[in-house]
Amino acid sequence: MMKRATTHHSKTKANDLTILSTVTLAYDDRHRRRIKMTADNGEDFLLDLEQATYLADGDLLELENGQAFMVKAALEEVMDVHCSNIDETARIAWHIGNRHTPLEVLRGGIMRLPYDHVLQHMIEGLGGHCERKKAPFAPESGAYKSGSGEHGHAHY
């Protein structure tokens, strides 16, 4: 019988559970409710949560027997955007947001987004510098958290 992960815990509970392995997931695969998963040790399990949940790097998926798998954010093709001043940062952030592109804000005002050559060209045309790399990606969740898939404003 396949193991079932029925409880999600933020990474703060890591000391209370026996961790069997990690499960490495890309950003697009870290918002789930019910799906068969394969841990990094090759063990299959069923994620079976009551509602769709965002699985952050370091979070735990507790099995019915009290053991757990730890979520690990996969390395993804991203680009870090560096700007020379706050005005340039604000202008570039506005253009990225206008395209509804997910964005992670890093220390020092650096913005991380999925790699896209069209966006790279736009950002560099606005004066920013893009550093392409493989890194974990955990974008901002957004101001409109209705859960309905809507983002709170209309496009005319």
Side-chain angles (χ1 to χ4, degrees):
M1 185 168 173
M2 185 179 296
K3 293 181 178 182
R4 286 180 53 221
T6 56
T7 307
H8 166 262
H9 299 285
S10 65
K11 54 186 157 191
T12 57
K13 188 167 175 156
N15 294 334
D16 298 342
L17 298 170
T18 301
I19 299 170
L20 298 173
S21 182
T22 55
V23 57
T24 302
L25 303 168
Y27 166 68
D28 287 339
D29 296 326
R30 292 199 317 264
H31 190 263
R32 297 288 184 200
R33 186 190 86 71
R34 190 167 201 273
I35 190 170
K36 179 184 168 197
M37 295 184 151
T38 302
D40 296 335
N41 67 359
E43 190 171 355
D44 291 332
F45 67 99
L46 177 67
L47 178 67
D48 193 10
L49 302 175
E50 287 186 26
Q51 61 187 24
T53 303
Y54 176 70
L55 309 173
D57 185 62
D59 284 359
L60 299 171
L61 302 174
E62 184 178 352
L63 302 169
E64 294 172 307
N65 66 6
Q67 296 177 320
F69 291 105
M70 180 178 283
V71 175
K72 182 178 174 189
L75 299 180
E76 302 185 54
E77 285 286 327
V78 296
M79 58 185 173
D80 287 356
V81 178
H82 303 264
C83 301
S84 59
N85 59 56
I86 192 70
D87 295 334
E88 186 176 271
T89 302
R91 184 175 49 260
I92 290 172
W94 184 89
H95 282 281
I96 293 168
N98 194 43
R99 284 151 183 81
H100 296 271
T101 301
L103 178 122
E104 180 178 0
V105 178
L106 304 174
R107 294 175 89 166
I110 298 169
M111 297 173 282
R112 177 172 288 165
L113 55 150
Y115 176 75
D116 180 294
H117 72 281
V118 173
L119 287 174
Q120 179 180 1
H121 182 74
M122 177 200 73
I123 291 164
E124 289 172 346
L126 292 167
H129 169 73
C130 296
E131 177 187 359
R132 186 174 177 180
K133 59 173 54 175
K134 285 194 177 254
F137 183 55
E140 296 291 315
S141 61
Y144 306 104
K145 298 179 186 179
S146 67
S148 66
E150 296 295 321
H151 56 260
H153 66 271
H155 291 261
Y156 299 100

